[in-house]
Amino acid sequence: MTNKFFKLALLMTLVGVSLCCQLTVSAKTKVRVATDSDTAPFTYKDKNRFTGYDIDVLRAVFQNSKDYQLTFETVPFASILTGLDAGRYQIAANNFNYSAERASKYLYSQPISQSNYAIASQKGYKQLADLSGKKTSAYAGASYTQVLENWNQANPAKEPIAINYVANSVPLAQRLQEVESGKSDFIFFDAISLKTISQEQGIQVDIQPLTDQVGEDKDGLEYFLFAKGKEGKKLQAFVNKRLTSLEKDGTLKKLSEKYFGGDFVSLLSEK
């Protein structure tokens, strides 16, 4: 074979390999993840890079996947689920907890973390009874808010907890600052978020785990959400299988310790 023909054959081979690689990449199903990038330590941005516990868990789930190509998009929190409804996104990742209403519309992954209920205040409140007659801000429909609403309903003879419903766009940091300033008496939320935000923002509040036994066995658990349908079920099955492996090999625990400062995953296999 002459040098000319050898170079031509080599060029054609390289072109063929390049086209093959392009076809392989294009054959992957695109998975768009919707997240507000503003709920540290679950999801946020570090110098324009998506990061956080939820984000890195998904990266580990889809690492070396031959079938899926993962991308993240920043979406206002209020638009995440509507985008899932419309098919613009395939996964919602934003510290989502369980609710029966959501379960009727969306598919849940198996849980990816478990955080306890906690109260942030200036008075060291530990029980729901301590909150009687106190004022707070809360997101309508959130599982944390429902706990407060349920207490009011179950205790009609006591002064109710005064709940000021605010938009989901109001950040937790702002609500904690209102507790620090005395504008609000407390915030009822999950321990991970309260501790992380207060430490990062330097907000001086006392955070105590709730001592009451409230809610159901799913309370405090965090999930990914998928759209209902054939593709959603297929994606759910893939993610759940990988989550099981990541829990067994210790990856979830390492990410929990990195972002939450402790192990919030070891009891998940019991759920």
Side-chain angles (χ1 to χ4, degrees), residues 212-270:
D212 301 69
Q213 294 295 319
V214 299
E216 302 176 352
D217 60 351
K218 291 184 175 64
D219 288 348
L221 296 175
E222 182 201 0
Y223 306 83
F224 297 129
L225 270 61
F226 314 87
K228 281 195 171 181
K230 182 179 179 180
E231 292 304 316
K233 288 181 179 179
K234 182 179 178 181
L235 190 59
Q236 177 196 42
F238 171 82
V239 170
N240 282 346
K241 183 177 180 180
R242 290 288 294 135
L243 286 173
T244 298
S245 298
L246 294 172
E247 183 181 354
K248 288 181 179 179
D249 69 16
T251 298
L252 292 188
K253 182 178 178 181
K254 289 179 181 178
L255 291 175
S256 174
E257 291 172 340
K258 175 182 178 180
Y259 287 104
F260 302 152
D263 180 4
F264 289 86
V265 301
S266 289
L267 297 178
L268 292 179
S269 57
E270 301 178 7

Side-chain angles (χ1 to χ4, degrees), residues 132-243:
S132 176
K134 307 300 189 298
K135 58 183 183 292
T136 187
S137 61
Y139 303 139
S143 59
Y144 310 100
T145 309
Q146 291 171 357
V147 171
L148 302 180
E149 294 169 339
N150 291 341
W151 187 90
N152 281 344
Q153 293 175 3
N155 296 275
K158 296 184 179 181
E159 190 173 359
I161 300 168
I163 305 173
N164 174 35
Y165 296 96
V166 297
N168 289 331
S169 58
V170 178
L172 179 59
Q174 179 179 326
R175 296 165 61 205
L176 283 172
Q177 288 168 347
E178 291 177 350
V179 173
E180 182 182 41
S181 68
K183 184 178 179 180
S184 184
D185 293 318
F186 72 93
I187 294 295
F188 184 61
F189 215 68
D190 74 87
I192 292 174
S193 297
L194 291 174
K195 289 180 179 179
T196 301
I197 297 296
S198 62
Q199 289 174 0
E200 289 184 347
Q201 301 291 327
I203 302 172
Q204 300 299 312
V205 291
D206 182 78
I207 299 171
Q208 295 291 334
L210 183 70
T211 58
D212 301 69
Q213 294 295 319
V214 299
E216 302 176 352
D217 60 351
K218 291 184 175 64
D219 288 348
L221 296 175
E222 182 201 0
Y223 306 83
F224 297 129
L225 270 61
F226 314 87
K228 281 195 171 181
K230 182 179 179 180
E231 292 304 316
K233 288 181 179 179
K234 182 179 178 181
L235 190 59
Q236 177 196 42
F238 171 82
V239 170
N240 282 346
K241 183 177 180 180
R242 290 288 294 135
L243 286 173

Side-chain angles (χ1 to χ4, degrees), residues 6 13-14 28 33 37 63 66 94 123 128 137 143 148 153-154 162 164 198 207 223 230 237:
F6 175 78
T13 300
L14 292 174
K28 288 188 177 184
V33 179
S37 302
Q63 185 176 20
K66 297 179 181 179
N94 221 94
K123 303 293 185 180
L128 293 175
S137 61
S143 59
L148 302 180
Q153 293 175 3
N164 174 35
S198 62
I207 299 171
Y223 306 83
K230 182 179 179 180

Side-chain angles (χ1 to χ4, degrees), residues 98-112:
Y98 182 88
S99 75
E101 180 181 358
R102 282 181 185 157
S104 68
K105 298 179 63 178
Y106 306 102
L107 299 174
Y108 277 72
S109 70
Q110 58 193 48
I112 61 172

